[in-house]
Amino acid sequence: MNMKKNNAPIGVFDSGVGGLTVAREIIRQLPQESIIYFGDTARVPYGNKSKETIIRYARQIVRFLKTKNVKAIVVACNTASAFALDTIEKELDIPVIGVVKPGAKSAIENTKNKRIGIIGTEGTIKSELYAEYIHSIDPEISVIGKACPLFVPLVEEGMLHDSVTDEIASRYLAELKKKNIDSLILGCTHYPLLRSTVGKIMGPKVNLVNPAYETAISLDALLRQNGICAEEDAEPKYEFYVSDAADKFKEFANSIMPFHTDMINQINIEEY
Ligand code: DGL
């Protein structure tokens, strides 16, 4: 067994605030680990951009995170995981994970009737990466995808419990409701914040899978495999960086994170 320890931070990035749902879960499950978070608030949303563009963005962010001496990277964005993870994984000399595989794995383990639904951005749904991965494990599972592009702005506007959100969610989910799925992957970083709305519409028989939760479990395993866990009594540090609108990010972060933060650093990501 490898007993080496490493207190260097973990780099976590997303197109904006959504990845905070993943950072929040990492902090809950791995409280001794430090985190450098980057939210690409100048270039959000990623969900409707091309693969080439997302790969360019991801490479820049990885270069920035490397300047902070991160020991591992979590691509805490479904769209970036779908489009750029394979590319950056080949280029990196430190371990990296995304959110797609952990979420898909959990849905595969949980489905009884082999019918899984997946909601996400247009990019994630069109990439069919979730379906591809699920079929590589079990080709008999039916995967039904549905893009829900208005969910991200609704969350960003703080309309988590709102009749407009209920109405839009009912329309988006109407088709999926007829497909007899027993598991639904919340395949976008923002969607766990709409869990109660989606849960009410889909009903108690549909298990909602939050990839953030599974990603933190996979990250723990990855750190152990590589012998780079922080010491048990390490004092964790959390640093937040954005490419624009630091104040708006701060407000959102303070509404969902388990602690208050005043320091959000703005950087020019195009320099990396
Ligand atoms: N973070 C993105 C994702 O998980 C959602 C927001 C965006 O479109 O950039 O797909």
Side-chain angles (χ1 to χ4, degrees):
M1 194 166 60
N2 195 335
M3 298 301 284
K4 271 192 304 177
K5 295 283 176 188
N6 184 335
N7 290 346
I10 295 161
V12 178
F13 79 86
D14 177 43
S15 54
V17 293
L20 289 171
T21 60
V22 180
R24 175 173 81 168
E25 202 50 51
I26 295 170
I27 291 168
R28 210 173 62 76
Q29 293 187 34
L30 306 173
Q32 68 283 11
E33 297 293 343
S34 292
I35 291 177
I36 305 277
Y37 183 94
F38 177 77
D40 201 357
T41 45
R43 305 187 292 195
V44 68
Y46 281 8
N48 53 11
K49 295 198 170 71
S50 69
K51 182 171 179 162
E52 292 65 34
T53 299
I54 301 302
I55 290 175
R56 183 170 77 79
Y57 290 174
R59 281 182 169 139
Q60 287 177 319
I61 296 166
V62 163
R63 283 196 283 271
F64 163 69
L65 290 172
K66 292 275 282 182
T67 67
K68 301 285 169 195
N69 297 317
V70 296
K71 63 182 173 186
I73 291 181
V74 178
V75 183
C77 171
N78 287 264
T79 311
S81 297
F83 283 162
L85 181 63
D86 279 0
T87 306
I88 58 172
E89 194 170 21
K90 283 188 210 121
E91 296 169 356
L92 266 172
D93 55 358
I94 53 172
V96 55
I97 57 166
V99 285
V100 168
K101 281 187 188 168
K105 209 167 133 255
S106 164
I108 295 166
E109 280 159 14
N110 281 300
T111 183
K112 303 242 165 9
N113 71 359
K114 292 189 186 270
R115 297 184 65 77
I116 296 175
I118 148 89
I119 51 177
T121 64
E122 253 168 49
T124 299
I125 299 301
K126 276 201 197 132
S127 79
E128 296 202 340
L129 191 76
Y130 270 103
E132 238 173 66
Y133 180 68
I134 290 170
H135 289 148
S136 73
I137 308 279
D138 184 345
E140 285 182 3
I141 293 179
S142 301
V143 183
I144 301 116
K146 172 75 187 162
C148 304
L150 289 172
F151 278 0
V152 168
L154 287 168
V155 170
E156 303 234 334
E157 289 306 318
M159 294 166 72
L160 305 184
H161 307 283
D162 192 290
S163 55
V164 172
T165 308
D166 291 347
E167 169 63 26
I168 290 169
S170 298
R171 288 201 205 180
Y172 277 151
L173 300 174
E175 249 173 78
L176 271 182
K177 267 194 80 156
K178 294 186 205 141
K179 302 282 185 186
N180 190 29
I181 55 170
D182 69 357
S183 300
L184 177 61
I185 303 172
L186 305 177
C188 169
T189 48
H190 290 59
Y191 297 3
L193 299 169
L194 295 176
R195 191 186 181 105
S196 64
T197 307
V198 173
K200 241 188 303 168
I201 295 166
M202 296 309 293
K205 289 193 187 132
V206 177
N207 172 41
L208 302 184
V209 177
N210 176 2
Y213 178 78
E214 308 301 332
T215 301
I217 295 175
S218 300
L219 174 64
D220 185 29
L222 187 76
L223 297 177
R224 284 173 198 278
Q225 273 161 24
N226 286 276
I228 52 171
C229 297
E231 285 160 317
E232 302 284 298
D233 57 353
E235 276 279 315
K237 288 193 194 74
Y238 307 119
E239 284 178 31
F240 298 91
Y241 294 83
V242 292
S243 46
D244 197 9
D247 281 345
K248 193 166 180 224
F249 182 93
K250 186 167 80 179
E251 208 180 298
F252 193 96
N254 285 327
S255 73
I256 70 156
M257 296 304 272
F259 51 80
H260 185 89
T261 177
D262 272 328
M263 264 298 282
I264 310 291
N265 307 282
Q266 190 169 325
I267 60 154
N268 180 1
I269 194 65
E270 295 289 0
E271 280 174 2
Y272 290 86

